[in-house]
Each structure stands twice: as C-alpha cells, then as structure tokens.
Amino acid sequence: MAIKPLTVWLTPSGPNPWKVVLILDELGVPYEIESFAFDHVKDKPYTDICPNGRVPAIVDPNTNLTLWESGAIIQYLEEVYDTELKLTYESLNESHLLNQYLHFHYGQEKGADVLSVRFNVLHPEKLPSIIERHNGQVRRVLGCTFADLAFMPWNTRLDFVLMTKPREDPLAPYPNVQAWHQRMVERPVWKRAMAVRDKLMDDQGLMPNGMPKGDQQYPRV
Amino acid sequence: MAIKPLTVWLTPSGPNPWKVVLILDELGVPYEIESFAFDHVKDKPYTDICPNGRVPAIVDPNTNLTLWESGAIIQYLEEVYDTELKLTYESLNESHLLNQYLHFHYGQEKGADVLSVRFNVLHPEKLPSIIERHNGQVRRVLGCTFADLAFMPWNTRLDFVLMTKPREDPLAPYPNVQAWHQRMVERPVWKRAMAVRDKLMDDQGLMPNGMPKGDQQYPRV
C-alpha cells in the first residue's frame, strides 16, 4: 500500500527541521513541507500541531500521529519507515551505540552550539576533538546513519557558531571529521535539502544563512 | 536465566546518573554502582568506559555492551529489560508520544536547567507552564513512565535552578505539575535512590545538595 505523504512543519531558518527532511529523503518516504515564519512559531495554527511552539513537527496520516521534538521524530521514522535498515544497524549493540551518538549530538553538539550562539562561551576545540577521538567507534558499515544526518544541519553552521574567519574551515584541524563531513555534504539528499531550504528562506526575504536580505552584519553565506 | 548485575558509573552530584538508577530499580534489574569524584570524570579509568568524560555510563555483562549518554541508556534499558512494559506503552503512537516527552526533557527542561545554572537567564515560568499545559496529553495509564522518571533528578533541583526562597515550592503555581511531582517523589525507587545518593555524597565529603560540607553559601538542603 502506498505511503501517504507526511507533513513536516518547519521554519526554514531552524537547523533541526532539516534533520527530519534529510532522513525522510534518504528513506524515500514522501513528504510535504509546511513552511512558515519563525515569528509565528508560538502562534496558531502551529501551536495546535506543537503546543510547545518549537520546530519541527510532523503529521503522519498513515498512523494518525502528530509528533514533535526532532530526536523523537527521527526515532519514530526509523522504527516505522526504515524497515530495510538503510540508516541503522541490525544488531542490538550496534543500534544502541548508534543511538548513543544521536544523544551525543543532542546533548553535546547541539547543546554546545545553542550555548555558543546565545552566549559565545563555547570552548571551540571541545566538540570536534571528541568527535575526532571517537570517529570509527561505531563502525560505519552503511556509510551514513540517522545519527550522521542528525549532525549535519548544525555542522554546517560551525563557522557561524565558532566565528571563524571567512573561508577558514572550522573542521580543518580535525581531518577525520572533515573527511566525514565532506562525504555527508556530497550526498544528494543534503544538496536537495539545502536547495529547498534556500528557496524557503528566499520566500521569507531571508538569505541562505537565515539573516534578512540586505543585512551586512553577517556577510558570509 | 538470571540477569547479571549491570554496572552504573556515576559521580553522585550529577543529576543524570540517577535517572538510570531509578529506571533500573523500577524494572527490577540488578545493578552495582561505581561511584567516583567529579574531579576525575575526565581521567582514567573512567575515560576508558566513556571517552567523552560525562556521566553516567553503564556496562552490561549480559550483552557485553558499554554505553553512555543517559537518554540512550534509558532507551536501551527499555528495549532490553522492560519486556513487561512497566514503564512504557504497547501501541506505536503512545510509545512514540512518550518518547517525545523524553526528548522534551532533554531538549527543554534539562537544557533550560543547564543554561540557568550556568548563566541564570532562565525565564522561570517557561518550563513548568509548558508541562502544565501538556500534562495529560500523554495518558498516564501506568502512573509512571520512563519519561516521568527522567524528569525527576532535575525537577528536584528547580529550587536551586530558579533560586526560589527557602521553603518556597517552585512548582506551587502549577498545581498539576506539583501533584505529578508529589506522586513521583513518593515512589519507593525515588526514596531509595536519594538515600543511596546522600550516602555516596557523604563518602565524598559532600552535602546532599552536592556542595562541600561546611560550605554555607547554599544552606538549603
């Protein structure tokens, strides 16, 4: 039976919704995007979908489930739609070690990025060095897992987060992380998602980096 | 076949390890605690268990798995040891709505608490009001789920986080949350875990609130 398209509610400037888009695309699950301005994240109709007023949220007409929190959505999509194990592992231990890295992303990277964006207190070497140290701890037999994808939308903002100089690659000191990141950005799903994101940003008068067009404060795009 | 005891590595002053202890206790899974001082969280032997140097971590001799990140540990324990569905739901939608609240805890409450402890910028009404608004959104047919338990170790520090006055209950303005919290602290597992925590704190010369004995800066215990 054909899968009915899921709806993904998002504000294009938020990193977290794109994790969900990437995973839907990798899994070949049909979906439609409901894009709206960040200014309305705490307003109806969105708060009828997600009373917490954070993006993303999904509505799945196949199961009649409305779900928010990107980490929970990723785990739901994996359970229901990754029956061919495209982005995960079969064995108990490997699947939980993989899940550990999803939580590592939420607890460490995303947490550190959010702190840094808000307060600029991140110790810049902390995050990539830990990834570097553990790279390969989970065997990447598949080349790409749901945890890899979950890292991407924040990874590509590290220059902004760490306030590196123009054209300086924040991952340069970490060759394994840099190589992993390069493999990920070359995936067709990432290119497709970023093309959609740029268009949805443009629809809202935003540059690809989420800043208003004409704003010269953040010239790097 | 009898379950061999799992080992839980923890520093008693950290809230996150106690989530794991609570869930093991509720599930009736045998475990042993390896308690060590927070000063050594980035040192061997602990970094051989968890190279990220954060607590908790578990070692499960039944599956030969070493796992860190408390959220990943909780999900692992649920999959492997909650075969009677003591702390979760059977249906697909309900189990994922429950998981949504685990992620809500990590993304919102724990995040807000960590931010607040570090920077004291929390809008105090934000967190309880959202819980209040959604209380009952997931039917609590079981009275207690793994997500309820995950909230507890941070909930009981809200007075410290929000810097409320002595004997002022930070949950008083939120009667549903307060009633839920009261049901949770009355559970035998919570009382047992806190008794163990107090003893392990004492072993390290710490008061039950994690501050050094004799430190008068935080007199509320």
Side-chain angles (χ1 to χ4, degrees):
Chain A
M1 198 165 66
I3 300 171
K4 290 181 238 167
L6 282 68
T7 303
V8 182
W9 290 74
L10 60 79
T11 62
S13 54
N16 292 330
W18 299 103
K19 302 172 187 174
V20 172
V21 170
L22 288 170
I23 285 167
L24 285 165
D25 197 353
E26 286 279 4
L27 295 178
V29 176
Y31 62 93
E32 291 162 354
I33 288 177
E34 281 281 350
S35 172
F36 63 101
F38 185 73
D39 291 350
H40 296 299
V41 79
K42 304 287 187 195
D43 300 336
K44 281 175 178 278
Y46 185 60
T47 50
D48 291 335
I49 301 292
C50 173
N52 193 26
R54 301 286 183 106
V55 286
I58 62 163
V59 178
D60 186 344
N62 304 287
T63 57
N64 293 316
L65 180 66
T66 298
L67 197 65
W68 35 275
E69 287 287 339
S70 62
I73 294 169
I74 289 169
Q75 293 174 332
Y76 168 76
L77 295 176
E78 281 296 311
E79 177 172 345
V80 177
Y81 294 109
D82 195 5
T83 49
E84 295 171 27
L85 306 178
K86 285 181 183 172
L87 301 176
T88 189
Y89 298 95
E90 191 159 12
S91 84
L92 178 79
N93 285 16
E94 283 189 317
S95 66
H96 284 285
L97 286 170
L98 176 56
N99 193 40
Q100 168 186 279
Y101 280 88
L102 183 71
H103 283 272
F104 170 76
H105 164 68
Y106 279 98
Q108 310 288 319
E109 185 191 54
K110 176 170 166 276
D113 281 10
V114 168
L115 283 176
S116 183
V117 167
R118 289 194 194 157
F119 303 103
N120 190 24
V121 295
L122 183 72
H123 301 290
E125 74 292 354
K126 229 177 194 171
L127 168 67
S129 68
I130 179 76
I131 299 178
E132 186 82 5
R133 201 151 19 118
H134 303 303
N135 202 15
Q137 181 156 327
V138 172
R139 229 173 357 111
R140 290 216 168 77
V141 289
L142 311 172
C144 174
T145 70
F146 66 80
D148 290 283
L149 294 167
F151 274 89
M152 289 305 297
W154 285 95
N155 269 4
T156 54
R157 297 201 158 182
L158 279 173
D159 59 342
F160 177 70
V161 170
L162 299 177
M163 296 191 287
T164 47
K165 297 194 189 81
R167 282 178 295 281
E168 180 186 326
D169 181 355
L171 295 178
Y174 313 101
N176 290 341
V177 180
Q178 190 183 38
W180 158 62
H181 180 76
Q182 195 53 39
R183 287 197 304 276
M184 290 299 120
V185 296
E186 282 164 9
R187 293 185 80 81
V189 296
W190 176 253
K191 292 176 180 170
R192 282 197 292 268
M194 291 306 94
V196 173
R197 186 178 71 167
D198 289 355
K199 170 161 188 330
L200 294 177
M201 294 277 204
D202 189 65
D203 289 347
Q204 296 187 12
L206 303 174
M207 297 189 288
N209 65 0
M211 296 297 140
K213 287 176 191 169
D215 188 330
Q216 295 303 311
Q217 205 183 342
Y218 305 99
R220 283 177 293 115
V221 176
Chain B
M1 196 165 68
I3 300 171
K4 288 181 239 169
L6 282 68
T7 303
V8 182
W9 290 76
L10 60 78
T11 61
S13 54
N16 293 330
W18 299 102
K19 302 172 186 173
V20 172
V21 169
L22 287 169
I23 286 167
L24 286 164
D25 196 353
E26 286 279 4
L27 295 178
V29 175
Y31 62 93
E32 292 162 354
I33 287 176
E34 281 281 350
S35 173
F36 63 101
F38 185 72
D39 292 350
H40 296 299
V41 80
K42 304 287 187 195
D43 300 336
K44 282 176 177 277
Y46 186 60
T47 50
D48 291 334
I49 301 291
C50 174
N52 192 25
R54 300 286 182 105
V55 286
I58 62 163
V59 177
D60 186 344
N62 303 287
T63 58
N64 292 316
L65 181 65
T66 298
L67 197 66
W68 36 275
E69 287 287 338
S70 63
I73 294 170
I74 289 169
Q75 293 174 332
Y76 168 77
L77 295 176
E78 281 297 311
E79 177 172 343
V80 177
Y81 294 110
D82 195 4
T83 49
E84 295 171 29
L85 306 178
K86 285 181 184 174
L87 302 176
T88 189
Y89 297 96
E90 190 159 12
S91 85
L92 178 78
N93 285 16
E94 283 189 317
S95 66
H96 284 285
L97 286 170
L98 177 56
N99 193 39
Q100 167 187 281
Y101 280 88
L102 182 71
H103 283 272
F104 170 77
H105 164 69
Y106 279 98
Q108 311 288 319
E109 185 191 55
K110 176 170 166 276
D113 281 10
V114 169
L115 283 177
S116 183
V117 167
R118 288 194 194 159
F119 303 103
N120 191 24
V121 295
L122 185 72
H123 301 289
E125 74 290 355
K126 230 177 196 172
L127 168 68
S129 68
I130 180 75
I131 299 177
E132 186 82 5
R133 202 154 15 121
H134 303 302
N135 202 15
Q137 181 156 327
V138 172
R139 233 175 352 112
R140 290 216 169 76
V141 290
L142 310 172
C144 174
T145 70
F146 65 81
D148 290 283
L149 294 168
F151 274 90
M152 290 306 296
W154 285 95
N155 270 3
T156 53
R157 297 201 159 182
L158 279 173
D159 60 341
F160 177 71
V161 170
L162 300 176
M163 295 191 287
T164 48
K165 297 194 189 82
R167 282 177 296 282
E168 180 185 326
D169 180 355
L171 295 178
Y174 312 101
N176 291 340
V177 181
Q178 190 182 39
W180 158 62
H181 180 77
Q182 196 52 39
R183 288 197 304 277
M184 290 300 119
V185 296
E186 282 164 9
R187 293 186 80 81
V189 295
W190 177 253
K191 292 176 181 170
R192 281 197 291 269
M194 292 305 95
V196 172
R197 187 178 71 166
D198 290 355
K199 173 165 185 327
L200 294 176
M201 294 278 204
D202 190 65
D203 290 348
Q204 296 186 11
L206 303 174
M207 297 189 289
N209 65 1
M211 297 296 142
K213 286 177 190 169
D215 187 329
Q216 295 303 311
Q217 205 183 343
Y218 305 98
R220 284 177 291 118
V221 177

